[in-house]
Amino acid sequence: MNKANGFHIGIDLGGTKIEIIALNQEGAAVYRTRVPTPKGDYPATVAAIVSLVRQCEAVLNAGGTLGIGIPGAVSRKTGRIKNANSTWLIGEDLQADLEKALERPVALENDANCLVLSEAVDGAAAGVRSVFGVIIGTGCGGGIVFDGQIVGGVNSIGGEWGHNPLPWSCDDRQLSCYCGLSGCNETFLSGSGLERHYQARSGRFLTAIEIETAASTGDETAQGLLDDYVIWLAKGLAAVINVVDPDVIVLGGGMSNFSRLYTDVPNIWQQWVFSDQVDTRLVAPKFGDSSGVRGAAWLGKSTL
């Protein structure tokens, strides 16, 4: 099969699901499916990705370039995965293992970088120079695209705000983070972080979606927590604006579906931004939870 003239295949390797998409040369999706992630099992994760790619190409009867968004980064020191909240990937040579199994080049990038690339190319941030992308889902990541190019950084951590401490003082308890620190943005702003804070306050466990529902039906703990969440996110994004000053910030991940964020956060973030006016736009992803996988597909063009 002629991969160079075929499709652009992207995979989003998430903590709960692995999604694959194939885009034609015009950017239209011609194939898409997802399977559960084999949590904690690296060989099974590799096998699942290989199976998805082969099934996709069998259905399309054509090959394609391949890009993969991962919840971490590739270490420039070792070539192996680092900083992954899907911790079973850490220390593994994912790129080499996939290239051996699939007999082709594979482009790997952080999943937040893939999200922001997708939205900068033909999504909610198309047409601007600088875009900061945020994933607030199972984990909390970030990425930067400038003039259509991912800003990876010399340490491969460009945009990784999730493991900075939440800026400015916070009255809520600081929870431990898988990275070894405590009080990280991720422990406040990820969906899993929200769930942990709700449990700490109420003694009950609810999912992030259930917390939003509970707030709308009069649960005072949920209401107070979501009010605090708006403040936490505004503080975190204000710190990004102070450093990067992007034209657009686009949200992704499950928490990006909370519609109040797009009005409430910009209404208060100016008090922490070092400017007399904040023109940065906060937007939802045009492609929803498929934005990351689309960005991975565009990433695959680099393997031609």
Side-chain angles (χ1 to χ4, degrees), residues 248-264:
V248 173
I249 296 175
V250 59
L251 302 182
M255 297 298 296
S256 72
N257 295 317
F258 287 21
S259 59
R260 66 176 290 193
L261 299 181
Y262 302 98
T263 53
D264 293 4

Side-chain angles (χ1 to χ4, degrees), residues 59-118:
V59 170
L60 297 176
N61 194 31
T65 63
L66 179 58
I68 300 178
I70 61 172
V74 177
S75 167
R76 295 195 178 189
K77 179 179 180 180
T78 66
R80 295 176 179 269
I81 305 300
K82 66 176 182 178
N83 299 349
N85 59 10
S86 297
T87 53
W88 64 94
L89 301 176
I90 294 175
E92 301 290 354
D93 195 347
L94 180 61
Q95 185 166 21
D97 291 340
L98 290 173
E99 288 184 341
K100 180 179 179 180
L102 291 167
E103 299 180 318
R104 76 187 69 183
V106 175
L108 295 186
E109 263 293 354
N110 175 262
D111 50 8
N113 290 345
C114 292
L115 162 76
V116 68
L117 180 63
S118 171

Side-chain angles (χ1 to χ4, degrees), residues 12 25 32 34 47 54 74 76 83 120 138 144-145 201 211 235 247 267 282:
D12 180 20
Q25 300 298 322
R32 178 183 173 188
R34 60 177 58 178
R54 289 175 175 163
V74 177
R76 295 195 178 189
N83 299 349
T138 304
I144 305 168
V145 165
R201 292 186 184 189
I211 292 169
K235 288 179 174 181
D247 296 300
N267 281 341
L282 181 66

Side-chain angles (χ1 to χ4, degrees), residues 132 134 144 159-169 185 189 230-246 249 265 268-275 278 280:
F132 189 86
V134 169
I144 305 168
E160 279 296 350
W161 73 310
H163 296 282
N164 291 329
L166 185 75
W168 298 280
S169 61
N185 279 328
L189 300 178
V230 168
I231 296 171
W232 298 340
L233 184 59
K235 288 179 174 181
L237 295 182
V240 170
I241 296 171
N242 284 339
V243 175
V244 180
D245 201 12
I249 296 175
V265 170
I268 66 171
W269 65 12
Q270 184 162 355
Q271 60 191 296
W272 298 289
V273 175
F274 189 59
S275 176
V278 182
T280 300

Side-chain angles (χ1 to χ4, degrees), residues 32 35-36 38 42 50 89 141 150 154-155 157 163 186 190 214 226 233 245 248-249 257 264 279 284:
R32 178 183 173 188
V35 297
Y42 176 72
V50 171
L89 301 176
I150 293 172
V154 69
N155 299 302
I157 55 171
H163 296 282
E186 178 159 319
S190 65
L226 290 182
L233 184 59
D245 201 12
V248 173
I249 296 175
N257 295 317
D264 293 4
D279 292 324

Side-chain angles (χ1 to χ4, degrees), residues 17-224:
K17 53 86 178 173
I18 305 174
E19 182 174 6
I20 186 169
I21 198 170
L23 305 180
N24 64 19
Q25 300 298 322
E26 291 72 41
V30 294
Y31 181 88
R32 178 183 173 188
T33 192
R34 60 177 58 178
V35 297
T37 301
K39 291 185 178 181
D41 191 333
Y42 176 72
T45 299
V46 172
I49 293 171
V50 171
S51 177
L52 283 171
V53 173
R54 289 175 175 163
Q55 290 173 19
C56 172
E57 294 183 335
V59 170
L60 297 176
N61 194 31
T65 63
L66 179 58
I68 300 178
I70 61 172
V74 177
S75 167
R76 295 195 178 189
K77 179 179 180 180
T78 66
R80 295 176 179 269
I81 305 300
K82 66 176 182 178
N83 299 349
N85 59 10
S86 297
T87 53
W88 64 94
L89 301 176
I90 294 175
E92 301 290 354
D93 195 347
L94 180 61
Q95 185 166 21
D97 291 340
L98 290 173
E99 288 184 341
K100 180 179 179 180
L102 291 167
E103 299 180 318
R104 76 187 69 183
V106 175
L108 295 186
E109 263 293 354
N110 175 262
D111 50 8
N113 290 345
C114 292
L115 162 76
V116 68
L117 180 63
S118 171
E119 294 299 326
V121 169
D122 57 353
V128 304
R129 296 197 70 189
S130 59
V131 188
F132 189 86
V134 169
I135 288 183
I136 38 178
T138 304
C140 179
I144 305 168
V145 165
F146 188 79
D147 283 344
Q149 299 295 316
I150 293 172
V151 180
V154 69
N155 299 302
S156 301
I157 55 171
E160 279 296 350
W161 73 310
H163 296 282
N164 291 329
L166 185 75
W168 298 280
S169 61
C170 178
D171 294 331
D172 216 79
R173 69 180 63 192
Q174 293 192 357
L175 300 177
S176 61
C177 185
Y178 79 90
C179 74
L181 302 175
S182 61
C184 294
N185 279 328
E186 178 159 319
T187 68
F188 288 94
L189 300 178
S190 65
S192 56
L194 185 76
E195 293 161 1
R196 292 173 68 195
H197 281 282
Y198 182 83
Q199 188 170 25
R201 292 186 184 189
S202 70
R204 298 185 297 126
F205 176 81
L206 293 179
T207 67
I209 293 175
E210 290 169 342
I211 292 169
E212 184 184 32
T213 301
S216 68
T217 56
D219 182 324
E220 293 183 359
T221 301
Q223 291 172 344

